[in-house]
Amino acid sequence: MALRARALYDFNSENPGEVSVKENEILTLYSERDIDGWFEGTNSRGERGLFPASYVEILRSDAASTLNNNSSSIENFSKPPAFTSFTQQQPQLQQTYQQPSQGSDDDWDDDWDDSSTVADEPGTVGGRYHEYEGNGPSTYRVSTSSMARGNAQQAKSSATVSRNLNRFSTFVKSGGEAFVLGEASGFVKDGDKICVVMGQYGPEWQENPYPFSCTIDDPTKQTKFKGMKSYIAYKLTPTHTQTQVNRRYKHFDWLYARLVEKFPVISVPHIPEKQATGRFEEDFISKRRKGLIWWMNHMTSHPVLARCDVFQHFLTCNSTDEKAWKQGKRKAEKDEMVGANFFLTISTPAAPLDFQEVESKIDGFKTFTKRMDDSTLQLNATVNEFARKQITGFKKEYQKVGMSFKVLSQAFEMDQQTYSAGLNQAISFTGDAYEAIGEYFAEQPSKDLDPIMDLLCLYQGHLANYPDIIHVQKGALTKVKESQKHVEEGKMDRAQAEGIDERCNIISCATLAEIQHFHQIRVRDFKAQMQHYLQQQIAFFQKITGKLEEALQKYDNA
Amino acid sequence: MALRARALYDFNSENPGEVSVKENEILTLYSERDIDGWFEGTNSRGERGLFPASYVEILRSDAASTLNNNSSSIENFSKPPAFTSFTQQQPQLQQTYQQPSQGSDDDWDDDWDDSSTVADEPGTVGGRYHEYEGNGPSTYRVSTSSMARGNAQQAKSSATVSRNLNRFSTFVKSGGEAFVLGEASGFVKDGDKICVVMGQYGPEWQENPYPFSCTIDDPTKQTKFKGMKSYIAYKLTPTHTQTQVNRRYKHFDWLYARLVEKFPVISVPHIPEKQATGRFEEDFISKRRKGLIWWMNHMTSHPVLARCDVFQHFLTCNSTDEKAWKQGKRKAEKDEMVGANFFLTISTPAAPLDFQEVESKIDGFKTFTKRMDDSTLQLNATVNEFARKQITGFKKEYQKVGMSFKVLSQAFEMDQQTYSAGLNQAISFTGDAYEAIGEYFAEQPSKDLDPIMDLLCLYQGHLANYPDIIHVQKGALTKVKESQKHVEEGKMDRAQAEGIDERCNIISCATLAEIQHFHQIRVRDFKAQMQHYLQQQIAFFQKITGKLEEALQKYDNA
């Protein structure tokens, strides 16, 4: 029997190879296995092609009902994820290169070929990352996050829990369900313990007692195989070791995959988007470095992420000691404390949380993230357009005024009157001043608007993570309610239900701690960036004023 | 036989009633008499309608050759004048109201009805006056000057010299030809004497020993006939009398006509353009007052215009003493020292000018005015567009940014975190600041660009006057050359030729003095206005900076 699926949303094909599907349309799949988030199949009109795996549900007799429940709650929370074009993603090829992210013993330096255009595009990890493309009209490249997370996490978590194959059920995939039902088990070493403490505003991650930061400098082009292959290396210097290590983008990418896999309710900051072409161009390198600096800042600011083994390995392992690197790499890839088991490592405050209060806080945060998502999207579009206007329109207007003053001064120079030479020069200088001001307008966005867009981009990434995190939390609360009902109906004994409550409390503490951390870095980041923006704007208008004052002085002796 | 004419330039009809003509096309006229500068006739395609009288030459067997010479020299100097639409000019009606400007004994206060829309549109006096219309795309209303001057001067000068009816011959119409040929005569009173002295830069008008200025304040709406008729009165206070007089726009218009008629080689500043609708609206009144102030400034700055009787009568005659007013009015209208006779009143420096040098200076000035005309036109268009952009686009961009910040702060207010309240307020304030800055951009053009446009408008008027002035000068030089030839050919005796030289010297002195005066006020005015513009721009950018600094401070305690 052919494998069938039902479309959950409309999908409109935008690229060759893709095929459009309508909500509720029944599709035939060639394989249950997706190609990097895409299924190949035939729609009801017999058209063959690719469509997003997360847009459909596979039709199975046993799983259909649960599946529908889960997908509907997702539908309420989030819009269907937008897709990058299929042609950009090259899924077949990516499939080959995605393996390292999921753990492989291949030689670290040879497993990806940086010289190949496609080689730097492993997988689709990296979320809904809005990229400002300076020249065109407001265009954003939007890639999907929940799908990427799903793929990365499935490998581990499906080994633990495999009763529900619904792709949408983050609760299941994250290991949240298994943990709540008491199915997770493992030995937690002291070093793996993660503490949630009760702070002024509710549960929060215990602060990192040894805070540090890390600089990212001098991206340099390096080659190997006698120049046949080349790549960009970044110099990382963590403050707590003061020892520089070299890392490539693919190392960041590997680390990111480990973190996403390990921490089900932590919002791992997205690494800068992959880009197929122009990887060695200065603009791109500088932009990627900026993105990595932002990412690093969020990593080192996070009490849990900053301290985890895989990140420490990444930051401190000597780049030339291949053996030590591989050892750490294998250890990270074999980490047992990921997904469901991550929750085992959490220790909570003594007093359990009130679940009603938790639910209300989560609902509030859900509303908040939706509003923040909308408003940052709007701000990003506005700022993008504002930058474009300054670079084109504003510049042009000021330069046209400058040019017209110049033309006037040239006409005046024909007056054959010596006493007007001073005025003519002053008007000519004024013309130059306005041309310079036009340039100031064109240069300014890179100083003040671009950083705002970088900030928004990073936060768009976090906001794309939260639906899944909230879903895990909601799933745990649902299990609590179900268990209460089961106890009332005599289907479950009280001790079992209390176990569920206890484990739900752990997930709740972790989620609320993460939300608290999010608010704190958000306030810190937006405050700093708004201040930076205003300072830059003030300096900009002062520079204009200075230029005009210089022009005005020319008239003193005119 | 039908009256025929040849088109000198292409004319493209733009309004109902007008008909297009091509250069050299032969046209049939219904009457030799133009309707306020327009002929009615039929073109070669049999289309009937109106076309500008100055765009055609009437075909007459006896005058054809002279006419062609004259018109070709005009063609070299100036572009064909642009025309306001026929429908706007309402020529038939204007014809009726133009008479007062040419002298009438009608009751001063009743001859025009200010309440009628059309009544405030007497004649077409007022030159190529570029008006900035704030809201639309860069539109200018352009009316013709040379034509208007031609009409106004024709009445008097054709009485003196009537040998050539060619409308183009300003030399003839101005009385220049009659004067050079020794045909002007009249008794010059001591008070009418006008001195040209030799200054540092060549001939110049003797300075006014009693310089004064005149303020124009409080335009107020006044009514008569029990409110049936209403008009705007301006309060004029000359510094040399310190006595306030009330004058209406039509008084300025009457005065302007007298001055244009009297002074053939003086560039009389144009009074602000007439406007049919909205005459009692605040914006219009304030704009007209600004125009009249500029006009008054140029009048009182001019050594000859400032002192002439008709202007003094206008400035000093008690507005309530109707008898005195009418007496002065009649005297001015009966002034014999106008046109050709004006030249009789000029006394020159002892040493006669070198005519070759004069011609070279005039040619240089001609080139200069052309360049200045082009560059002021361009600057005006640029500034007009720049103003429009600031009022619309710039404002919108800044306000969109402000709005997006506001929306972000509103989203942030939903975070349920007390510690972020300060940040939210600061971002909200920043949003307000950008909305305010948008307003600043919209308000600014009235403070800095409008005055530039007023200045350019006034100078466009002067530049429109100069072709005629130069034409008179050129005509005189031509007569000198002709007389030299006639003497060589024995057709004229030497004494007669010397008389022509002497009179051409008078015209040359007056013209060069006028040009010198033009350069001096030009340098004065452009310097002052450029300084004013830059000062306003500096204040503008400082205001923005101040607002941003205020916003930045809000983050200190956030």
Side-chain angles (χ1 to χ4, degrees), chain A residues 9 25 107 131 159 168 178 182 193 204 243 250 252 255 264 291 312 338 380 422 473 498 508 532:
Chain A
Y9 315 107
E25 186 174 347
D107 174 66
E131 188 183 357
F168 273 87
K193 283 258 167 68
E204 54 187 48
T243 308
K250 67 170 186 186
F252 284 92
L255 170 62
Q312 286 298 326
V338 304
N380 196 53
Q473 169 64 46
E498 276 168 10
S508 302
H532 175 262

Side-chain angles (χ1 to χ4, degrees), chain A residues 201 371 382 389 397 404 412 414-415 417 419 434 516 519 522-523 527 530 533 537 545 555 558, chain B residues 201 371 382 389 397 404 412 414-415 417 419-420 434 516 519 522 527 530 533 537 541 555 558:
Chain A
Y201 309 103
R371 284 286 294 269
T382 304
K389 283 274 166 67
E397 289 305 317
S404 293
F412 278 6
M414 301 189 71
D415 68 353
Q417 303 295 337
Y419 57 78
Y434 273 83
Q516 187 55 236
H519 281 311
R522 173 182 63 84
V523 168
K527 178 180 171 180
M530 289 301 291
Y533 175 71
Q537 281 271 290
T545 306
Y555 291 84
Chain B
Y201 308 103
R371 283 287 294 270
T382 304
K389 284 273 167 65
E397 289 305 318
S404 293
F412 279 6
M414 302 190 69
D415 67 355
Q417 302 296 335
Y419 56 78
S420 72
Y434 274 84
Q516 188 53 237
H519 282 311
R522 174 181 63 83
K527 179 180 171 180
M530 288 302 291
Y533 175 71
Q537 282 270 289
F541 286 114
Y555 292 84

Side-chain angles (χ1 to χ4, degrees), chain A residues 1-18:
Chain A
M1 196 185 114
L3 185 62
R4 298 198 318 153
R6 186 173 68 85
L8 297 166
Y9 315 107
D10 288 350
F11 168 71
N12 295 312
S13 75
E14 289 184 353
N15 293 288
E18 297 170 7

Side-chain angles (χ1 to χ4, degrees), chain B residues 136-153:
Chain B
S138 40
T139 50
Y140 302 97
R141 281 217 279 158
V142 181
S143 59
T144 171
S145 69
S146 57
M147 207 182 71
R149 288 193 53 150
N151 285 346
Q153 289 178 342

